[in-house]
Amino acid sequence: VRSIKDVESELIKSPIPEDIVKEIPEMETSQDDISEGKLLSLMDDLRKQKREAEFTNERLEDREQELKRSEQKLREIQSETEGRETNLRFRETRLAEEEADLETKRVAAREGFLDERRASTKEIVGRIDALLTDAETWGAEARVRALKENAAREEIFAAQLIALNEERELLRKHEVGVRASEERARSEADFLKEKEMIAESIAQRRIDDHKKAAEVEIEELESRLAIEREKGEAKDQILRELRNKIASFGGDPESQQRRIDDLAERLRVKEDELARRPPEEEIVNLRQLARRVDEAENAAKNWQTLYDQTNSQLRRNLVSVGEQEVLRDERDALEAQKKTLQEALAQHKSDWEELQSQANSSRPFPTCSEYDDDPKLTINQRWRDIDSLAELAEEIRDRMASNAASSFYYSASDVRIFLAGLSASRLHLLQGISGTGKTSLPREFFKALAGNEAVEIVEVQAGWRDKDDLFGFYNAFQKQFAESEFTKALYRALLPANADRPMVIVLDEMNLAHPEQYFSVMLSLLENSTAGNVAIPLLASEVPNLPKQFEGSKLPLARNVWFVGTANHDETTVAFADKTYDRAHVQTLPSQYASFQPTNRGNLEPVSYDALERAFVMASKTHAREAKKTKEFLQSTVRGEFEEFGVGWGNRLERQIDRFIPVVLASGGGITEAVDHLIATKLVRKLENRFGIRPEQLEDLAEAIQIHWAKFEDSSTPAKTLSALQNEAKKLRGTFGP
């Protein structure tokens, strides 16, 4: 379903001014009725309308971007509000836990510390009582012994008594210390209690402050949310106005677009007719010659009329002999002048016929006709056979890395994927950041496969709009076709020396202009090339002296040619349409490759195209079971996951699977390597920059694919698919980066 922005862009990018529309029917007459001033005026009006459309388009895009930024900012504010609410709840929970812990410590201080002091005091008192009991026992025994023993022992008793008194004094002092310790313990307990009360009050005040700050912050966020909602309503109003503006164009946008496309096609036809007109200098010279001829004929008619009138007057009137002599002299002079003018007219007629004869005898395709005369290109060549696709992939990788001028290192997987892409489609799209070898890969691959003659690089220009920019155009006045490098490369591929050589045409920076415009003829022909031989219509009708390989006014499309487009994605490029992606083999190259030591393969002998095609067909038969297994896996599990996002596929992808999967396996790759590449480039790619998709949905999709993959292939992981989904989820979250 096309978005509003797409409809607006289509309506704005192709505006046809009413004055131009009114002029188009008049332009359907002959070119002689169109004045140069009128053509210049029409072109100026067209450029002015184009500039106005581009300005309007830029304003609409700016408004759309502003609306997206506002929506993104609103989502960020909502996410920030939720985060702060979660943080506030966490803080409240943490404060409650700290308060409970503090209460536990306070209870332990009240109960545990006093119990310990009481136990310690009780133990000390017990020791004192024991000492006193021992002292009494010792005193009684001393008195008994004092009675039984002699007086000499009294001194020992006295000494023991003195020692006992000293010990008793020590015990008394110890008891005083114990009591002082109890007093200090009581004071410390009171101080701790006061400290706990103070800490509790401080914690309560902090909790109250946090609550107040949170309430103020929530009020601010609610006010900001209300403001953003008002802005959102304003943006909705602008969007409704834009929709009304679209509706003001009248009727269904698609019907309007069809009408605009029809008018644009008619205008393009007229521009083609103008382009086929002779150069301005030749037109001026021819007009001057025609004007001189007309003047001479008019002068001759005037003199003839004057001559007839004079003769009549001579016959009617009798004049003198002198007058007759004068008239006779005038007549002779007029006859001589008439003869001179007749001779000039005859000379002009002869020159015109000679120019026409030279034009008819020239070659309309001079370079292609020269190819027909080149003996190097007219000798039939048959190149070497292929032992196996796995050995071929290794050989090509080694030859690219051992290039004498500069080594190009590519992973074995990328070489296999590129080789399998040749079997799946004749159109390749290579993507990646600048400097990753997008142009080098097809150039060096085909040089290693079939020699330097197999490669032609065409630099796409930003101003290309139709097929004439790609193929060239026919000049009806000069009766010659302005051959482009693209057309010459297509013709060389048809010649006997190259008919069995795999060849490639690289469209460097293919998306500088819209491929669906200048490459539209090729897209249609490549889609229908499987049904049989196809040809490119280069001329409106057949002309004499065409090159030998032409079929009437058409150039056959050689079966041994592939087309590779390199693509950067920045502000200077345009996006490929889905139909172009679906028809092409897509490959994204990494930022860098690891170097390795290549094997020396010796002299290069080109590979036969017929042998390469036979190897592809043999691989399709050998690994047909794996291709069928892949289609069943995609149909039974993957289709349901992607249909939730509105992504599906048809017979074209299944045909590519039948050719792509077997060649990857025959080249030494695994089933996961092949299927992972198809899902990442054919299905996940359609989820990029899709409106309304959340990061969580992409992460859930990645998890579901991992679960399904474990049933499909236990030993491997679809790294490309998972990486693409994760990167897209990061972009949606705004955290995408290296």
Side-chain angles (χ1 to χ4, degrees):
V1 179
R2 296 185 300 174
S3 64
I4 295 175
K5 181 181 176 182
D6 295 334
V7 178
E8 291 173 352
S9 299
E10 293 175 359
L11 291 175
I12 292 172
K13 287 181 179 178
S14 303
I16 303 299
E18 292 296 327
D19 52 344
I20 300 299
V21 176
K22 293 178 181 178
E23 294 293 339
I24 289 176
E26 298 179 6
M27 293 173 65
E28 293 177 354
T29 60
S30 64
Q31 294 183 2
D32 297 334
D33 297 335
I34 302 175
S35 65
E36 296 177 3
K38 191 172 184 180
L39 291 174
L40 294 174
S41 176
L42 291 176
M43 295 301 293
D44 290 339
D45 291 339
L46 184 60
R47 294 190 187 99
K48 184 185 296 183
Q49 293 294 332
K50 184 177 180 180
R51 288 194 296 270
E52 293 176 357
E54 291 174 350
F55 176 74
T56 305
N57 185 29
E58 291 175 356
R59 290 181 60 190
L60 289 174
E61 290 179 351
D62 291 341
R63 291 178 181 177
E64 182 71 17
Q65 293 296 328
E66 183 180 358
L67 179 59
K68 288 184 178 180
R69 287 194 296 269
S70 298
E71 292 175 350
Q72 181 64 25
K73 189 174 182 181
L74 180 58
R75 287 195 294 269
E76 291 175 357
I77 291 173
Q78 291 175 348
S79 176
E80 184 180 358
T81 302
E82 294 174 356
R84 291 187 177 182
E85 289 177 354
T86 302
N87 190 20
L88 180 59
R89 289 193 295 270
F90 174 77
R91 289 180 180 177
E92 290 177 351
T93 303
R94 187 172 179 181
L95 286 174
E97 291 175 355
E98 291 178 355
E99 183 178 0
D101 184 56
L102 187 60
E103 181 64 25
T104 303
K105 291 180 179 179
R106 186 167 58 249
V107 173
R110 285 199 303 266
E111 297 177 358
F113 297 162
L114 293 177
D115 292 341
E116 290 177 1
R117 294 291 184 267
R118 290 192 187 99
S120 177
T121 304
K122 185 176 181 181
E123 182 181 357
I124 292 171
V125 172
R127 290 174 62 188
I128 292 172
D129 292 340
L131 290 173
L132 291 174
T133 303
D134 292 342
E136 291 177 356
T137 303
W138 293 341
E141 291 178 353
R143 283 192 298 270
V144 172
R145 285 193 298 270
L147 293 174
K148 292 180 178 181
E149 295 178 356
N150 54 23
R153 296 289 182 91
E154 289 181 0
E155 294 179 0
I156 297 174
F157 176 76
Q160 289 178 350
L161 182 59
I162 292 170
L164 181 61
N165 290 332
E166 290 177 355
E167 188 175 359
R168 184 178 294 170
E169 183 65 24
L170 291 174
L171 289 174
R172 187 185 63 77
K173 291 179 179 180
H174 184 69
E175 183 178 3
V176 172
V178 170
R179 289 176 181 174
S181 297
E182 289 180 352
E183 290 295 331
R184 286 196 301 271
R186 292 191 189 96
S187 62
E188 289 178 358
D190 295 337
F191 175 75
L192 183 60
K193 184 176 181 181
E194 292 177 358
K195 186 176 180 181
E196 290 175 353
M197 294 176 64
I198 293 171
E200 184 177 357
S201 62
I202 292 173
Q204 186 62 38
R205 285 198 301 272
R206 288 181 178 176
I207 291 172
D208 295 338
D209 293 341
H210 283 302
K211 286 184 178 180
K212 291 179 181 179
E215 290 174 355
V216 171
E217 191 173 2
I218 290 172
E219 290 177 357
E220 292 178 355
L221 291 174
E222 288 178 349
S223 62
R224 290 173 62 185
L225 182 59
I227 293 172
E228 292 300 329
R229 285 176 178 169
E230 292 177 357
K231 290 182 180 179
E233 292 176 356
K235 297 300 181 181
D236 291 339
Q237 180 63 29
I238 293 174
L239 186 59
R240 287 193 293 272
E241 292 176 357
L242 291 175
R243 288 174 177 170
N244 293 333
K245 186 175 181 180
I246 293 173
S248 65
F249 283 94
D252 181 15
E254 294 184 357
S255 62
Q256 292 293 327
Q257 183 62 40
R258 287 193 296 271
R259 178 175 173 270
I260 290 171
D261 292 341
D262 181 60
L263 294 176
E265 179 64 22
R266 294 173 63 187
L267 182 59
R268 189 188 63 77
V269 171
K270 296 304 177 184
E271 290 178 349
D272 292 343
E273 294 177 357
L274 290 177
R276 298 189 185 97
R277 295 185 64 186
E280 188 65 27
E281 295 180 357
E282 296 181 3
I283 293 176
V284 172
N285 292 335
L286 288 175
R287 287 178 177 174
Q288 290 177 353
L289 290 174
R291 185 164 55 252
R292 290 174 59 185
V293 171
D294 292 339
E295 290 175 355
E297 290 179 350
N298 291 333
K301 289 179 181 178
N302 291 334
W303 286 113
Q304 183 66 39
T305 302
L306 181 61
Y307 176 76
D308 294 341
Q309 291 176 355
T310 303
N311 285 337
S312 299
Q313 187 176 2
L314 287 173
R315 286 193 298 270
R316 288 194 303 268
N317 302 313
L318 294 174
V319 292
S320 62
V321 174
E323 291 175 348
Q324 289 180 358
E325 290 295 333
V326 171
L327 292 173
R328 188 179 296 109
D329 292 339
E330 291 179 352
R331 182 191 65 189
D332 294 340
L334 290 173
E335 288 180 351
Q337 187 175 7
K338 179 181 178 182
K339 184 177 180 181
T340 301
L341 292 174
Q342 288 176 345
E343 291 176 353
L345 287 173
Q347 182 63 36
H348 285 312
K349 183 176 181 181
S350 175
D351 293 343
W352 175 258
E353 290 176 351
E354 183 178 357
L355 289 174
Q356 290 285 2
S357 176
Q358 292 177 357
N360 291 331
S361 63
S362 64
R363 293 176 170 181
F365 289 81
T367 305
C368 293
S369 297
E370 290 177 3
Y371 292 154
D372 290 336
D373 299 334
D374 189 346
K376 295 181 180 179
L377 298 176
T378 55
I379 299 175
N380 289 318
Q381 295 284 357
R382 287 294 177 266
W383 308 110
R384 68 183 173 100
D385 208 340
I386 298 173
D387 294 331
S388 74
L389 290 174
E391 293 180 1
L392 178 64
E394 292 179 2
E395 176 187 346
I396 292 174
R397 184 167 180 251
D398 287 336
R399 290 190 183 278
M400 289 193 292
S402 58
N403 190 303
S406 178
S407 298
F408 296 92
Y409 299 102
Y410 294 95
S411 68
S413 175
D414 280 341
V415 173
R416 288 193 296 266
I417 293 295
F418 189 83
L419 178 61
L422 300 181
S423 175
S425 175
R426 295 176 69 180
L427 174 63
H428 286 210
L429 299 179
L430 298 184
Q431 303 179 136
I433 62 175
S434 180
T436 56
K438 298 185 294 297
T439 305
S440 303
L441 175 58
R443 182 188 66 213
E444 300 303 321
F445 186 98
F446 273 85
K447 283 183 179 180
L449 182 69
N452 295 337
E453 297 82 359
V455 181
E456 179 66 39
I457 297 179
V458 177
E459 296 181 355
V460 176
Q461 304 299 316
W464 286 9
R465 291 293 179 268
D466 56 30
K467 67 181 183 64
D468 289 348
D469 296 318
L470 181 66
F471 295 105
F473 61 92
Y474 182 69
N475 189 321
F477 183 76
Q478 295 180 342
K479 297 188 180 302
Q480 276 193 351
F481 193 91
E483 302 157 290
S484 67
E485 296 301 323
F486 186 85
T487 300
K488 289 186 282 189
L490 289 176
Y491 191 81
R492 286 198 303 272
L494 293 167
L495 297 175
N498 296 323
D500 193 40
R501 184 198 303 269
M503 303 186 71
V504 65
I505 299 178
V506 181
L507 298 170
D508 197 20
E509 298 194 49
M510 186 180 187
N511 60 336
L512 276 180
H514 284 282
E516 293 75 25
Q517 294 178 359
Y518 71 85
F519 203 68
S520 60
V521 172
M522 291 302 304
L523 288 175
S524 178
L525 291 177
L526 292 176
E527 182 72 7
N528 299 324
S529 60
T530 56
N533 295 330
V534 294
I536 305 168
L538 294 181
L539 300 171
S541 60
E542 187 175 356
V543 296
N545 301 323
L546 285 172
K548 296 178 181 179
Q549 301 297 330
F550 269 68
E551 295 178 355
S553 60
K554 296 181 179 181
L555 175 65
L557 180 60
R559 62 194 179 101
N560 58 321
V561 180
W562 281 268
F563 305 89
V564 178
T566 67
N568 293 320
H569 294 289
D570 52 37
E571 65 279 0
T572 66
T573 60
V574 296
F576 290 106
D578 278 346
K579 66 178 182 180
T580 305
Y581 272 121
D582 291 342
R583 295 175 180 180
H585 166 73
V586 183
Q587 192 168 352
T588 301
L589 302 184
S591 57
Q592 59 184 1
Y593 289 100
S595 61
F596 60 93
Q597 184 61 39
T599 302
N600 187 0
R601 297 288 180 169
N603 295 329
L604 172 66
E605 183 180 355
V607 172
S608 167
Y609 168 78
D610 289 335
L612 183 64
E613 186 62 28
R614 286 195 300 272
F616 288 159
V617 173
M618 181 61 66
S620 299
K621 294 179 180 178
T622 304
H623 299 281
R625 186 178 61 84
E626 288 85 348
K628 182 179 179 182
K629 175 185 175 182
T630 299
K631 289 189 287 187
E632 291 174 351
F633 168 68
L634 294 178
Q635 182 67 29
S636 61
T637 59
V638 177
R639 180 182 287 274
E641 300 292 345
F642 280 91
E643 281 183 346
E644 295 182 2
F645 298 91
V647 175
W649 62 84
N651 295 331
R652 183 186 291 121
L653 178 59
E654 295 189 354
R655 289 196 302 270
Q656 292 175 355
I657 290 173
D658 289 336
R659 300 275 291 185
F660 180 79
I661 300 293
V663 176
V664 173
L665 297 177
S667 301
I671 187 70
T672 291
E673 176 183 323
V675 181
D676 181 28
H677 179 83
L678 285 179
I679 294 178
T681 57
K682 295 295 184 181
L683 303 181
V684 177
R685 183 203 58 78
K686 295 185 178 182
L687 300 178
E688 295 178 357
N689 302 320
R690 288 278 294 272
F691 179 76
I693 296 180
R694 301 189 307 276
E696 296 81 6
Q697 291 178 295
L698 297 178
E699 292 170 350
D700 292 342
L701 177 59
E703 184 177 355
I705 289 177
Q706 280 185 297
I707 295 173
H708 294 316
W709 210 274
K711 301 177 183 178
F712 174 68
E713 184 74 11
D714 294 337
S715 60
S716 302
T717 301
K720 286 184 179 180
T721 299
L722 299 180
S723 176
L725 290 172
Q726 291 168 0
N727 290 338
E728 187 64 20
K730 289 180 180 179
K731 282 200 297 183
L732 294 177
R733 285 197 171 94
T735 59
F736 183 77

